[in-house]
Amino acid sequence: MFNYLIIGSGFAGSVIAERIAKVLNEKVLIIEKRNHIGGNCYDYRNEYNIVIHKYGPHLFHTNNKAVFDYLSQFTDWNIYHHRVLAFVDGKKMPIPFNFNSLYCVFPPSFANKLEEKLLSHFNYNDKVPILELKKIDDKDLQFLAQYIYDKIFVNYTSKQWGKKPEEIDPEVTARVPVFIGRDDRYFNDKYQAIPAEGYSKIFERMLNHQNIKILLNTDFKEVINIDFENKKIYFLGQEFKGKLIFTGMIDELFHFKYGYLPYRSLDLRFESLEKEWFQEAATVNYPNDFDFTRITEFKHIHPINVDRTTILKEYPQNYEVGKNEPYYPMFTKEAQAMYNKYFEYSKQFTNLILVGRLAEYKYYDMDDVVERALEVFNKEVASER
């Protein structure tokens, strides 16, 4: 009945499913182990009618007009600019660290001196990676870089990844910029918005097609078997000759034959409070205090007039198979080397396509994974018909 099987109903799987159903007019079956579609972007309204992101806050931002236009078929948007504060030495300051942060932390005369020096080395609105700032031959800027590194970056990174910063790939440290300007927004993309009715509605509309069938509460291993010797895929006991599009953990697909890829997970603890507001911004980071990394208050993201509020504290932890969720690939050389073994092995299966954060072992933002899914559909699915 199906020429296409898709494992996982997050953005990677859902976008490709929608394209197969609509553009190719082919039937597709989505196999999803959870009891809902939408992957980690799933949201819902709690008992106080507050929209909650079950797997942590998801803030849509992109410079890619094609991605924004594609998703706009399935939702209206509310303009939303995410702002984050960091709690450091009893004060809250905007991050990424910017000129406003300077004046929160230092006396006005010294803050002004640092601002002028930064502008002498960089252009206004530049984003400067913290490690680049540390290399400048100026004692004041080196002091500033060390302050930001010590107070905002190093302990947060250690909590988030469970490793020392020098053990993490530079790709991660590069994500922590110093902003040369006064823009307090966490993102600077052209399109920044929240789905007016939440993310789950996007997936409901995207997958509401007669050619799409969805099997929830089903682990793919219950219905799919891999013949490692002959490099064949079996679905419900019969050889499957269509395309299998896999968005889950690549090591799990191949029965961990090269070992367990490391991921970081999160212990997400929600609290509903009998007060209208808990904090000044949607997210407050705690780089040096407590065991959690940040607190998110969802009413800032999805405004609603109720006298209660719901917050989320995030406690990073290692991923353990069957016990928690794999959120982030680990950016280490050893982990990448193991992934490369799995990827090379996957090439022996001619009807297998890997796409998404877990299958490709890459850190994709939402817009990245939508772009990637559209690309995979065009290059690896539609082009072979």
Side-chain angles (χ1 to χ4, degrees):
M1 289 181 62
F2 302 100
N3 289 325
Y4 299 93
L5 299 177
I6 296 180
I7 310 302
S9 64
F11 268 125
S14 294
V15 168
I16 295 179
E18 186 275 336
R19 293 286 81 189
I20 291 171
K22 184 176 180 179
V23 177
L24 304 185
N25 194 27
E26 289 271 8
K27 293 186 182 299
V28 56
L29 175 66
I30 296 176
I31 299 167
E32 171 58 61
K33 69 178 179 180
R34 292 171 173 167
N35 62 0
H36 60 75
I37 57 176
N40 288 351
C41 292
Y42 173 77
D43 55 21
Y44 65 96
R45 290 187 179 272
N46 70 2
E47 63 269 35
Y48 305 116
N49 210 29
I50 299 170
V51 175
I52 303 299
H53 298 179
K54 182 174 181 178
Y55 302 97
H58 284 75
L59 299 315
F60 184 79
H61 57 98
T62 188
N63 286 313
N64 190 322
K65 185 176 187 301
V67 167
F68 185 74
D69 288 346
Y70 172 77
L71 292 178
S72 296
Q73 299 175 82
F74 311 105
T75 185
D76 293 325
W77 301 94
N78 291 331
I79 295 173
Y80 174 78
H81 297 284
H82 192 53
R83 286 176 168 82
V84 178
L85 301 175
F87 181 79
V88 176
D89 294 340
K91 298 178 180 179
K92 291 178 181 176
M93 67 185 74
I95 57 170
F97 198 94
N98 57 53
F99 289 170
N100 295 327
S101 311
L102 278 177
Y103 289 87
C104 287
V105 176
F106 302 116
S109 59
F110 187 50
N112 182 256
K113 181 181 180 181
L114 290 170
E115 179 179 347
E116 290 177 354
K117 286 193 171 186
L118 286 167
L119 287 171
S120 72
H121 285 85
F122 305 103
N123 295 319
Y124 203 79
N125 288 342
D126 277 354
K127 282 186 173 180
V128 182
I130 183 65
L131 298 184
E132 182 179 333
L133 187 61
K134 289 182 72 174
K135 296 176 183 177
I136 294 179
D137 186 18
D138 181 290
K139 62 182 179 61
D140 289 329
L141 293 184
Q142 286 183 355
F143 165 80
L144 175 62
Q146 195 64 46
Y147 175 89
I148 297 170
Y149 188 80
D150 290 340
K151 297 290 187 177
I152 296 175
F153 173 69
V154 66
N155 292 326
Y156 190 95
T157 300
S158 296
K159 281 197 285 186
Q160 180 72 17
W161 297 103
K163 292 182 177 291
K164 297 177 182 178
E166 55 267 25
E167 297 178 298
I168 304 296
D169 192 288
E171 183 180 340
V172 177
T173 58
R175 293 173 64 87
V176 183
V178 177
F179 187 75
I180 310 301
R182 296 185 179 277
D183 190 342
D184 274 346
R185 297 176 302 166
Y186 196 70
F187 308 112
N188 304 108
D189 302 74
K190 182 176 181 179
Y191 303 98
Q192 300 184 48
I194 290 291
E197 298 174 80
Y199 289 100
S200 292
K201 284 293 183 183
I202 291 181
F203 291 96
E204 289 174 17
R205 292 171 181 139
M206 190 179 286
L207 300 180
N208 183 22
H209 194 286
Q210 61 185 9
N211 286 340
I212 298 176
K213 306 300 178 188
I214 304 170
L215 201 57
L216 296 177
N217 296 305
T218 305
D219 190 311
F220 76 89
K221 296 187 291 294
E222 298 174 35
V223 293
I224 290 175
N225 291 309
I226 305 293
D227 182 345
F228 293 105
E229 184 176 346
N230 297 302
K231 307 301 183 288
K232 293 181 179 180
I233 298 169
Y234 286 81
F235 174 59
L236 295 177
Q238 296 188 343
E239 183 180 352
F240 180 68
K241 297 184 178 180
K243 289 286 187 183
L244 174 64
I245 298 157
F246 187 79
T247 74
M249 297 190 302
I250 187 173
D251 52 343
E252 183 180 26
L253 175 65
F254 294 125
H255 297 189
F256 308 103
K257 67 185 277 104
Y258 298 120
Y260 291 81
L261 282 167
Y263 301 86
R264 283 296 272 177
S265 186
L266 295 169
D267 178 10
L268 302 175
R269 302 183 192 178
F270 296 88
E271 299 176 25
S272 289
L273 309 171
E274 294 187 3
K275 58 196 307 182
E276 188 172 2
W277 295 101
F278 177 78
Q279 60 193 25
E280 308 93 314
T283 298
V284 177
N285 287 3
Y286 290 81
N288 310 306
D289 301 88
F290 306 105
D291 294 329
F292 51 81
T293 50
R294 61 182 180 175
I295 298 177
T296 296
E297 185 171 18
F298 290 99
K299 280 173 60 177
H300 289 283
I301 302 171
H302 301 273
I304 185 172
N305 186 23
V306 294
D307 60 359
R308 300 285 195 279
T309 192
T310 299
I311 63 172
L312 167 63
K313 296 176 181 175
E314 299 182 33
Y315 295 79
Q317 57 185 202
N318 285 326
Y319 169 68
E320 297 183 61
V321 178
K323 293 185 179 181
N324 50 17
E325 299 290 340
Y327 283 96
Y328 306 105
M330 291 294 291
F331 294 91
T332 64
K333 293 179 181 178
E334 294 79 10
Q336 192 60 50
M338 185 185 295
Y339 169 77
N340 290 339
K341 286 185 179 180
Y342 280 113
F343 179 68
E344 288 302 315
Y345 184 75
S346 74
K347 292 179 181 179
Q348 299 180 44
F349 294 81
T350 57
N351 58 339
L352 172 65
I353 296 174
L354 303 171
V355 59
R357 181 183 286 195
L358 301 181
E360 297 181 76
Y361 210 67
K362 289 183 179 179
Y363 188 98
Y364 283 126
D365 282 331
M366 282 184 286
D367 62 322
D368 297 327
V369 81
V370 172
E371 179 183 5
R372 175 67 178 146
L374 292 171
E375 176 187 46
V376 167
F377 169 76
N378 290 325
K379 292 183 177 180
E380 299 185 43
V381 180
S383 64
E384 295 195 3
R385 278 174 51 86

